[in-house]
Amino acid sequence: MDAAQFQRLHNLEGAPDPFPSLNDPAPAPTPASASAPALDAEEAFPSLAPSAAANRPAAAWGASAGPRIRPVPPPAFTTESFTLTAIDLSTAGRDGKPATLGEIMKQVMAKHKVKIEASSNQLARQTTFNLKSESKKELDKAKRMLLALLSPTVSLVVNAPASTVAFIIGPKGATLKTIRDQTNVRVDIPRRETLASNGYANGNGRSGAATPSGDGDEEEEPTVPVTITGPQPLAEEAQELIKQIIASKTSKTTQRVRDIPVHIIPFVKARRQLFQNAAQGADVQLGLNSSERELTAAGDREAVIRVIETVKSTIASVSTSITCVKFSLPKRQHRLLVNKAVDEIMAESKCAVVVPSPEDPSEEVQVWGRPEDAGVGIAAAMSKANSKFIHEFPLPGPITLSRQLLTYIIRTDYSGKLATANPGVDVYVPNLKSTASTLNIDLVGDKPNVDGAVRQVSGLVGKMINAVKEVQADWLVHKFIAAKNAKKIKQFHDTHNVILFFPPESEEHSSILLVYDPLSPNATLNTTEKMNKLDEVEKEVVKFVSETADVKSQTISVEKKWHDAVKGPGGTTLNAIIGEEKALAIKVGADVGDSTTEDVILVRGASADVDRAVKEIQEIVENAKNDLILSGYSTEFDIDREYVGRIVGSQGGGVNKLREQLGVKVDFSDDGDDFKDAKKKKIATGKSHVKIVGRKENAEEAKRRILAQVEKLADETQETLKIPNQYHSSLIGQNGKYVIRLEERYSVRIIFPREAAEGGEGRTREPLKPDEVLVKGGRKGVAQAKTELLEAVEFEKESNNVIKFTVVARAVPRILGKGGVRINEIKAETDAQIDVDKSVEDSGVVQITCRGSKKAIAAAKALIQEIADQVNEETISTIKVDARFHRTLIGPGGSGLKDIINRCGGPSDTKAQASLVRFPRQGEEPNDEVRLRGDAALVKKLQAEIERLVGELRDRVIIGVEVPASQHRALIGRGGQKLIDFQSKFNVQVQYPGSHSYHSAGKPENEDELASCASENLVKISGPRANVQKAVDEMKNIAKPAAPESVTDTISVPLKYQHAVSQQGNFFRNLRSSYHVTVDQSAMPTKSAVPTKPTNGSAAPAARIDDVGEAPAAEVQWEVTTNYTDAEEGESTWTLKGRDAASVERAKKAVQDAIAKAEAMSHVGFLTLPDRGSFPRIVGAKGANIVRLHAETGADITVSRENNTIVIMGSEQSIQDAKDAILKITNEPSGGRRGGGNGAYRGRGNDRD
């Protein structure tokens, strides 16, 4: 009879169950706060009786209505009960043997005056303990001792905001001590200086792995990891106490509004300002994750609460005020209605647009908004959907080929390259997991750009035909093939132009894709060659596959209830079965994919591993069925003490890794003492005892790993090499590339000594002298690395000689050169390495170090010393030169300064000249000092020459001369040659108006005499007075007198005749060439002067290119219309300018004659021929026939290059005569093609040539 039946029998329903079911939650009073209860709280561990006696006697079972059993007064002792779901007995025993539950209970009862009873539920693996004691204090001590002995030891981390750490510690550590005393756990808070460089870190100092605290509320404030280690319930109690302190002291918070409806998100995003106003100026950071449908507010607690409330009320308000309108739109256009387009539509129409996901085949588009805004929203969505051109490019089939092409495009990021090559085009590729029958690449943008991208994709697809192939290999061996043959796989692309694509391991696909890369520079278009390359690579890959282990799959039947036993806590048992190499894939239950049952486990991998794994799984299941407690299994063995420290690892990292992966406990001991910290015991000889406790399979796997590591360490050796310190940098190489290559090649570690910094930092762990190098690793690798290092040292001794010498500090800039040019030239010339130590430059001398062969360093020293000697012999002199003379002394392009140096016997080399004379730069003070630096004799000559030139410049004058602007070009000459010759002849400077330095040259002395001279005619000549006077006289002699004023006359020309008169500009050219007369027009016609062909419907319709039937035979068409019917009215005044009145009069007569001729052109005829084949004969050689026809008929004939129509203008009779003459030419037999027929030609005789 269970407790519930017993209560019903005695009418005691509602009383607490003295033995509560392990599957039902224990009744507990409503907590006062949202925080988890403490371990000593009544709600966490409900007792079998009230914790305090009532004022009046109560029934034993707590019944409130007349119990049938006689009431019993409450006992004089205190009781309490609690339930444990996981009991760890591995650490409670002695001498390495696990204790039993009974022994532990006896131990607790013997130490504390308490009575303990226990009841177990084997099926649920839960145990309920009832404690009874006369003293509440003794009961609490017994309970904590029992929890400590039975619970597994865990490490928990609370990421405490930095501002709360002081409150957790308390005054002089009082708060922290209270927590430790109450829970009997270890609480570690790292010191501030040991944290990460950002100020704080999140992590566990012992294991190196972070355990999240789970609250996630303090994201913006740096946190400090507080580590709690102890029995699980007590550690959780301490964790809760610390969280309560943090919650009471935290001034900032982060809150979220999750699961916002998709159609509401645009409305929320548009109201960001409203939410910021709700913060009332407080510091609140808002974040909206549209994909997660989540809004985050972080900052001051009260402001965040206001913002979140505003967000929630906004969502509720919007949800009730909007409606949905649905319409269909092709799937490809949905791409234009997402991301930024949603915001633009919202801003334009106050409506949100929602489209289905790309995987959803639905074409339905939803527009959400208020009823009065829905129409505008639909219009905005349609406008946005049609705003760009979209091209769907289908990948060629069958679907297998399409996926192969798509794999290449995705894995090589071809879509990104395509978008970069075609700006303005967005490229969208389908997902490889798409189930569509056709895979399309969508190209979106302006049509011209999209067309270019389409051509590029078409070209790629064309090159990839017959360029792909697949090799089948079980997906489990893919990573072994890729790792083992990485170098060969890379060579396939270099030598065969073939790329291998392995599918992602998570997809469990067995196909390896081989692609002949079409984008490679050396790719060929020859199909046969491509297929041959693919076949060669395929053979190699098949060989790779055959060399790997055979793979098989095996399914075993295991009831679902035993699956947890196979997996183990946190998957530790499964990790032990799979092993470190992870060459097995084990799927349990529903992961197998069998729709008929979940009572299966699938094992795939190498045959031997599969057989082993199946056997181990069956043993685990069998042990579980027999209800064996395997967690108490232990194995013990001995290892050499010298390897313990390496196995334990830094801060216990190695042991912690075993514990986390396999769920085992590893203890090291020596002479009965715990060996928990190998660094504290420097024992070099003897044995250390290792004890591993845990599940059998896990413990054996941990033992195997430790012994394998010991075996590897046993082969390790180290050797110290004597290598002079001067060769270390060469052996290490730039960024350590040489030493890293040796370490990787021989699997060793090479340690060079470091110079000790202030305070001793920077030294290596090994006590190395400056000339020692330590090599550590396997014996064979150490020997090979040693040999290569010593050979490298011998080579360095031959080629790495060092010489050091000093030079004066002021010679360094000359040695280095501008931008290091000179020093680099010396390095290239001598093949030596040169280092200039500038740190001692203040002392007046600088040390230079040369490295290389003896010949190289000697040559480098000689070149550097030569430069230094030159600097030592140099002298520096400064002279005063007015800034206004600097430009003249330097000359155009420095030519003046070069002449000065050459005249003084200076060097001709440009670089050497640059350092001799230095003029101050613009804005530099003082601006009138010129520095001379060089050989003393040369400096003296330069100083004298410059002073002489400055004296001449002080005597410089500027005189103006009037030269007509029309003559300036001739006087300057082509490329300014005449001006240069003139200036050189008289040693003067000539400034023409418009030159860069014209205005800066100053005012001429004779400015008053030239007051009437136009500014554009005033030329300035500057230089010594005598020279300037001679140049002025010469300039006046060679300057031609100004041309006399021209004669003008005007004539009115009707606008309707202007086109016929001007003859497309020929008439004006004739006036200039024949009469030297130019024309200015007051107005130009706005309408086209070309007559329009009439459309009377009599013309035969043009044949369409898509007409199926025979086209009718084309005929000659002739249409006549009156000229100037729609011509523009009004007149234009032509101003005729010429040298003399006679020329102007003759030109005016020519204009009048042209107007009369234009007036006589009363009709226009349009002659349309069947084709343009006869046009060359009509035009004639260089238009000869057109000129002849014009002379014979008087008509103006224009042959178009656009169509088959010839336009004839003239009198009614003249155009008829011209038409008959043209038809006569076309009917004559062709005597061969002549030039001139393919272009337009218009002729009217000699007046149009």
Side-chain angles (χ1 to χ4, degrees):
M1 179 181 298
D2 59 19
Q5 293 172 336
F6 184 78
Q7 287 181 335
R8 285 196 296 269
L9 178 62
H10 297 282
N11 295 328
L12 296 177
E13 291 89 340
D17 188 352
F19 302 100
S21 170
L22 299 179
N23 295 324
D24 297 329
T30 304
S33 65
S35 60
L39 291 180
D40 58 351
E42 179 67 16
E43 58 269 28
F45 301 98
S47 62
L48 296 180
S51 58
N55 293 331
R56 59 184 179 83
W61 298 101
S64 59
R68 297 174 59 184
I69 299 179
R70 182 180 178 182
V72 179
F77 46 77
T78 303
T79 63
E80 188 172 351
S81 64
F82 59 92
T83 300
L84 294 180
T85 56
I87 294 179
D88 183 7
L89 301 174
S90 59
T91 60
R94 298 180 179 178
D95 301 327
K97 296 180 180 179
T100 64
L101 180 58
E103 292 174 346
I104 293 174
M105 293 171 61
K106 290 179 181 179
Q107 181 181 348
V108 176
M109 288 188 290
K111 188 171 183 179
H112 302 285
K113 296 178 180 180
V114 66
K115 182 179 180 182
I116 303 175
E117 296 178 353
S119 60
S120 299
N121 186 327
Q122 296 293 341
L123 183 61
R125 294 182 180 272
Q126 293 179 333
T127 304
T128 300
F129 295 91
N130 299 312
L131 283 72
K132 184 184 300 183
S133 175
E134 296 180 356
S135 169
K136 173 67 175 174
K137 184 177 181 179
E138 287 293 315
L139 187 142
D140 290 338
K141 291 181 179 180
K143 174 184 173 182
R144 296 187 183 282
M145 181 178 179
L146 192 62
L147 288 173
L149 293 173
L150 297 179
S151 301
T153 300
V154 297
S155 291
L156 305 178
V157 174
V158 177
N159 290 318
S163 61
T164 65
V165 172
F167 299 98
I168 296 173
I169 297 174
K172 297 183 179 181
T175 305
L176 187 60
K177 183 177 184 301
T178 301
I179 295 173
R180 288 172 174 167
D181 293 343
Q182 180 178 334
T183 60
N184 292 327
V185 297
R186 179 179 177 181
V187 181
D188 293 324
I189 301 177
R191 294 181 179 274
R192 185 178 299 272
E193 59 269 16
T194 63
L195 299 175
S197 60
N198 64 351
Y200 300 97
N202 296 325
N204 186 333
R206 292 181 62 230
S207 63
T211 304
S213 64
D215 51 11
D217 287 336
E218 306 301 333
E219 297 176 351
E220 71 290 309
E221 185 178 2
T223 59
V224 176
V226 179
T227 307
I228 306 167
T229 306
Q232 185 173 355
L234 302 179
E236 291 173 350
E237 179 184 357
Q239 181 187 41
E240 190 58 37
L241 292 173
I242 292 174
K243 284 184 179 181
Q244 290 175 2
I245 297 174
I246 293 172
S248 64
K249 301 299 180 182
T250 303
S251 60
K252 294 184 180 294
T253 186
T254 298
Q255 294 189 20
R256 298 174 177 84
V257 179
R258 295 186 172 91
D259 299 328
I260 304 173
V262 175
H263 64 279
I264 300 294
I265 290 177
F267 294 95
V268 173
K269 193 173 184 180
R271 288 163 171 77
R272 180 183 181 88
Q273 188 60 45
L274 173 65
F275 306 145
Q276 289 179 336
N277 293 340
Q280 300 178 2
D283 182 18
V284 175
Q285 301 296 325
L286 293 177
L288 179 62
N289 189 332
S290 299
S291 59
E292 298 293 334
R293 300 188 296 129
E294 177 181 278
L295 182 141
T296 304
D300 295 338
R301 182 179 296 276
E302 294 183 0
V304 167
I305 293 174
R306 289 196 300 271
V307 170
I308 292 299
E309 289 300 325
T310 304
V311 172
K312 291 180 178 179
S313 62
T314 299
I315 293 173
S317 174
V318 171
S319 300
T320 57
S321 63
I322 62 175
T323 185
C324 176
V325 179
K326 302 178 181 178
F327 61 94
S328 294
L329 201 64
K331 192 73 175 177
R332 64 178 180 275
Q333 291 181 276
H334 289 192
R335 297 191 185 279
L336 301 178
L337 298 178
V338 295
N339 300 330
K340 188 178 180 181
V342 176
D343 300 335
E344 294 174 353
I345 294 173
M346 170 60 69
E348 179 180 350
S349 64
K350 299 180 181 179
C351 291
V353 176
V354 179
V355 297
S357 64
E359 293 78 15
D360 189 344
S362 173
E363 295 185 346
E364 181 180 84
V365 177
Q366 299 178 2
V367 176
W368 292 83
R370 294 183 299 179
E372 59 268 25
D373 297 331
V376 181
I378 294 174
M382 293 298 296
S383 174
K384 187 64 66 176
N386 295 314
S387 61
K388 291 186 179 181
F389 178 73
I390 302 176
H391 181 90
E392 289 184 341
F393 188 95
L395 293 176
I399 190 64
T400 302
L401 176 60
S402 300
R403 294 189 184 281
Q404 292 170 346
L405 300 180
L406 181 60
T407 298
Y408 173 81
I409 291 172
I410 292 177
R411 297 284 287 274
T412 60
D413 190 27
Y414 177 74
S415 58
K417 299 173 184 175
L418 183 64
T420 302
N422 298 272
V425 176
D426 295 326
V427 183
Y428 299 94
V429 296
N431 194 304
L432 278 172
K433 297 180 180 179
S434 174
T435 58
S437 58
T438 302
L439 300 178
N440 295 323
I441 297 177
D442 290 346
L443 305 170
V444 181
D446 296 334
K447 191 174 186 306
N449 298 336
V450 171
D451 291 342
V454 169
R455 288 191 294 271
Q456 196 169 340
V457 177
S458 300
L460 173 72
V461 172
K463 293 177 183 178
M464 293 190 67
I465 301 301
N466 296 322
V468 294
K469 183 171 286 191
E470 287 187 350
V471 176
Q472 299 299 320
D474 195 284
W475 65 270
L476 279 171
V477 301
H478 286 183
K479 60 183 177 183
F480 299 108
I481 295 175
K484 183 178 179 181
N485 306 282
K487 188 176 293 185
K488 289 185 179 179
I489 291 173
K490 183 179 182 301
Q491 290 176 353
F492 288 155
H493 188 265
D494 298 337
T495 59
H496 294 75
N497 204 43
V498 175
I499 308 176
L500 270 66
F501 295 110
F502 293 90
E505 188 173 340
S506 60
E507 295 181 3
E508 300 184 1
H509 288 173
S510 299
S511 299
I512 303 174
L513 179 61
L514 280 58
V515 180
Y516 185 86
D517 188 3
L519 300 180
S520 176
N522 56 351
T524 180
L525 298 177
N526 187 296
T527 302
T528 304
E529 186 174 348
K530 288 193 288 187
M531 296 181 68
N532 289 339
K533 296 289 187 183
L534 286 170
D535 291 340
E536 293 175 6
V537 175
E538 180 186 23
K539 292 178 182 178
E540 291 295 324
V541 175
V542 171
K543 184 178 178 182
F544 295 162
V545 174
S546 63
E547 291 174 354
T548 57
D550 58 324
V551 177
K552 74 173 185 178
S553 302
Q554 185 171 343
T555 303
I556 54 178
S557 296
V558 177
E559 292 183 53
K560 185 177 180 180
K561 61 182 178 180
W562 307 118
H563 289 179
D564 288 340
V566 175
K567 295 178 182 178
T572 54
T573 303
L574 211 56
N575 287 339
I577 297 173
I578 293 174
E580 284 186 298
E581 293 78 11
K582 297 185 179 179
L584 279 173
I586 301 178
K587 294 184 177 181
V588 181
D591 294 340
V592 176
D594 190 341
S595 59
T596 60
T597 179
E598 293 186 7
D599 296 337
V600 290
I601 295 178
L602 175 65
V603 184
R604 294 188 72 250
S607 297
D609 291 335
V610 170
D611 295 340
R612 173 187 60 78
V614 169
K615 183 178 179 182
E616 292 181 5
I617 291 172
Q618 290 173 341
E619 289 180 358
I620 293 171
V621 172
E622 188 62 29
N623 290 337
K625 287 181 180 179
N626 296 331
D627 198 25
L628 297 177
I629 304 177
L630 300 180
S631 59
Y633 177 83
S634 65
T635 180
E636 302 178 26
F637 54 95
D638 293 333
I639 62 172
D640 291 337
R641 291 175 183 156
E642 59 181 307
Y643 306 133
V644 173
R646 299 284 296 277
I647 294 173
V648 172
S650 176
Q651 297 183 348
V655 174
N656 288 337
K657 183 178 179 181
L658 289 176
R659 184 181 69 243
E660 292 168 1
Q661 291 185 350
L662 302 177
V664 297
K665 180 180 179 182
V666 183
D667 287 329
F668 297 88
S669 60
D670 178 66
D671 296 334
D673 295 332
D674 291 337
F675 201 99
K676 294 182 179 179
D677 190 350
K679 291 185 177 181
K680 294 181 180 179
K681 295 192 175 184
K682 303 292 183 179
I683 304 175
T685 59
K687 297 288 185 179
S688 285
H689 189 70
V690 184
K691 177 183 177 182
I692 304 176
V693 180
R695 183 178 288 275
K696 180 179 179 181
E697 294 78 7
N698 302 20
E700 292 295 337
E701 173 66 15
K703 177 181 178 180
R704 185 191 68 78
R705 294 185 187 183
I706 291 175
L707 292 178
Q709 188 175 358
V710 168
E711 183 179 355
K712 181 180 179 181
L713 293 173
D715 184 55
E716 282 192 355
T717 186
Q718 65 181 38
E719 191 160 347
T720 303
L721 308 180
K722 288 287 186 179
I723 299 176
N725 185 267
Q726 68 188 73
Y727 303 123
H728 288 187
S729 59
S730 300
L731 296 178
I732 295 172
Q734 186 177 9
N735 296 325
K737 65 179 182 179
Y738 297 136
V739 72
I740 291 174
R741 178 180 60 81
L742 287 177
E743 289 180 336
E744 292 178 349
R745 175 182 293 180
Y746 301 118
S747 299
V748 296
R749 187 180 177 201
I750 303 175
I751 303 171
F752 286 84
R754 298 177 185 174
E755 294 182 2
E758 186 177 351
E761 295 182 358
R763 295 179 178 175
T764 56
R765 294 181 179 178
E766 293 77 7
L768 295 177
K769 296 180 180 178
D771 61 344
E772 292 181 343
V773 177
L774 182 65
V775 184
K776 301 171 66 174
R779 299 181 187 277
K780 183 178 179 181
V782 168
Q784 292 174 329
K786 173 185 175 181
T787 301
E788 188 162 341
L789 276 173
L790 294 179
E791 290 176 354
V793 170
E794 293 300 320
F795 173 80
E796 290 295 330
K797 287 181 178 179
E798 294 293 328
S799 61
N800 196 15
N801 295 279
V802 179
I803 186 173
K804 296 182 180 180
F805 57 96
T806 59
V807 297
V808 293
R810 58 192 178 92
V812 171
R814 188 82 62 85
I815 295 170
L816 296 178
K818 186 176 182 180
V821 173
R822 182 56 184 147
I823 195 70
N824 289 334
E825 290 176 352
I826 297 175
K827 290 179 180 179
E829 182 179 344
T830 62
D831 198 23
Q833 295 181 10
I834 304 173
D835 294 325
V836 179
D837 185 5
K838 296 183 180 180
S839 60
V840 295
E841 195 169 351
D842 295 339
S843 62
V845 294
V846 172
Q847 180 174 283
I848 296 179
T849 304
C850 299
R851 292 184 176 87
S853 62
K854 293 181 180 180
K855 181 179 178 182
I857 62 177
K861 180 180 179 181
L863 292 174
I864 294 173
Q865 200 66 55
E866 180 182 353
I867 297 174
D869 293 342
Q870 292 176 0
V871 173
N872 289 332
E873 296 173 0
E874 286 179 351
T875 183
I876 298 177
S877 178
T878 303
I879 57 177
K880 295 284 186 177
V881 178
D882 290 345
R884 57 195 176 98
F885 301 143
H886 291 181
R887 184 186 297 272
T888 305
L889 292 174
I890 295 173
S895 58
L897 187 58
K898 292 178 182 177
D899 292 341
I900 294 173
I901 295 174
N902 291 333
R903 288 199 302 270
C904 295
S908 58
D909 180 58
T910 306
K911 294 181 180 178
Q913 289 180 346
S915 62
L916 279 174
V917 183
R918 183 185 183 277
F919 285 85
R921 302 182 184 275
Q922 187 174 2
E924 184 178 338
E925 293 295 338
N927 63 351
D928 60 348
E929 289 187 357
V930 178
R931 189 195 68 188
L932 307 178
R933 184 180 69 182
D935 180 70
L938 178 59
V939 168
K940 188 175 182 180
K941 291 181 181 179
L942 285 172
Q943 183 173 354
E945 179 66 13
I946 291 175
E947 288 175 345
R948 182 185 68 78
L949 292 174
V950 170
E952 293 180 357
L953 290 174
R954 288 196 178 97
D955 186 42
R956 173 191 178 110
V957 295
I958 301 175
I959 298 178
V961 59
E962 183 177 4
V963 178
S966 59
Q967 299 181 27
H968 291 180
R969 184 185 297 274
L971 293 175
I972 294 173
R974 183 184 296 274
Q977 188 59 46
K978 289 185 178 180
L979 174 62
I980 295 173
D981 295 342
F982 185 88
Q983 294 180 143
S984 301
K985 179 179 179 181
F986 296 100
N987 191 23
V988 295
Q989 293 290 325
V990 181
Q991 304 293 342
Y992 286 93
S995 66
H996 293 296
S997 55
Y998 180 80
H999 294 288
S1000 62
K1003 297 181 179 180
E1005 287 184 352
N1006 57 342
E1007 182 179 9
D1008 295 338
E1009 300 175 6
L1010 299 172
S1012 61
C1013 175
S1015 59
E1016 64 270 16
N1017 296 335
L1018 180 60
V1019 178
K1020 300 178 184 178
I1021 302 178
S1022 59
R1025 184 176 296 276
N1027 295 357
V1028 170
Q1029 193 59 51
K1030 293 178 182 179
V1032 168
D1033 295 340
E1034 180 68 15
M1035 182 73 73
K1036 291 180 178 178
N1037 291 333
I1038 62 177
K1040 298 179 182 179
E1045 192 172 338
S1046 60
V1047 178
T1048 63
D1049 198 356
T1050 61
I1051 186 172
S1052 296
V1053 179
L1055 290 175
K1056 62 181 178 180
Y1057 299 148
Q1058 186 156 337
H1059 177 74
V1061 172
S1062 63
Q1063 304 169 18
Q1064 299 181 349
N1066 289 331
F1067 184 72
F1068 301 130
R1069 289 190 287 272
N1070 288 338
L1071 291 180
R1072 284 198 302 271
S1073 61
S1074 301
Y1075 309 118
H1076 303 288
V1077 173
T1078 60
V1079 180
D1080 292 334
Q1081 299 167 266
S1082 64
M1084 299 293 291
T1086 58
K1087 293 185 179 180
S1088 174
V1090 179
T1092 304
K1093 182 179 179 182
T1095 57
N1096 54 15
S1098 62
R1104 287 171 53 89
I1105 195 170
D1106 56 352
D1107 284 347
V1108 178
E1110 270 187 36
E1115 297 180 354
V1116 174
Q1117 300 176 26
W1118 171 248
E1119 299 171 87
V1120 179
T1121 184
T1122 303
N1123 200 4
Y1124 307 125
T1125 302
D1126 297 327
E1128 185 175 356
E1129 297 299 333
E1131 293 184 343
S1132 173
T1133 300
W1134 289 15
T1135 302
L1136 308 179
K1137 295 181 181 180
R1139 298 179 180 177
D1140 50 58
S1143 299
V1144 174
E1145 187 62 30
R1146 288 196 300 272
K1148 185 174 182 179
K1149 180 66 169 59
V1151 174
Q1152 292 171 343
D1153 293 343
I1155 294 173
K1157 288 182 181 180
E1159 187 176 3
M1161 303 175 98
S1162 59
H1163 289 75
V1164 180
F1166 297 91
L1167 178 62
T1168 302
L1169 301 182
D1171 55 51
R1172 297 177 58 87
S1174 59
F1175 278 27
R1177 285 181 287 136
I1178 295 172
V1179 175
K1182 298 183 179 179
N1185 285 348
I1186 296 295
V1187 175
R1188 178 177 59 80
L1189 291 176
H1190 172 69
E1192 293 175 355
T1193 63
D1196 185 5
I1197 304 170
T1198 302
V1199 180
S1200 172
R1201 69 175 67 189
E1202 304 293 338
N1203 49 48
N1204 300 345
T1205 301
I1206 301 174
V1207 182
I1208 307 173
M1209 300 175 61
S1211 63
E1212 188 172 6
Q1213 183 59 41
S1214 64
I1215 65 174
Q1216 185 65 37
D1217 294 342
K1219 186 262 292 186
D1220 294 340
I1222 291 173
L1223 291 179
K1224 183 178 178 181
I1225 293 174
T1226 60
N1227 293 330
E1228 292 177 355
S1230 177
R1233 180 167 182 168
R1234 301 177 66 184
N1238 288 335
Y1241 187 84
R1242 180 176 182 173
R1244 292 186 59 190
N1246 293 334
D1247 59 341
R1248 297 209 174 187
D1249 292 342

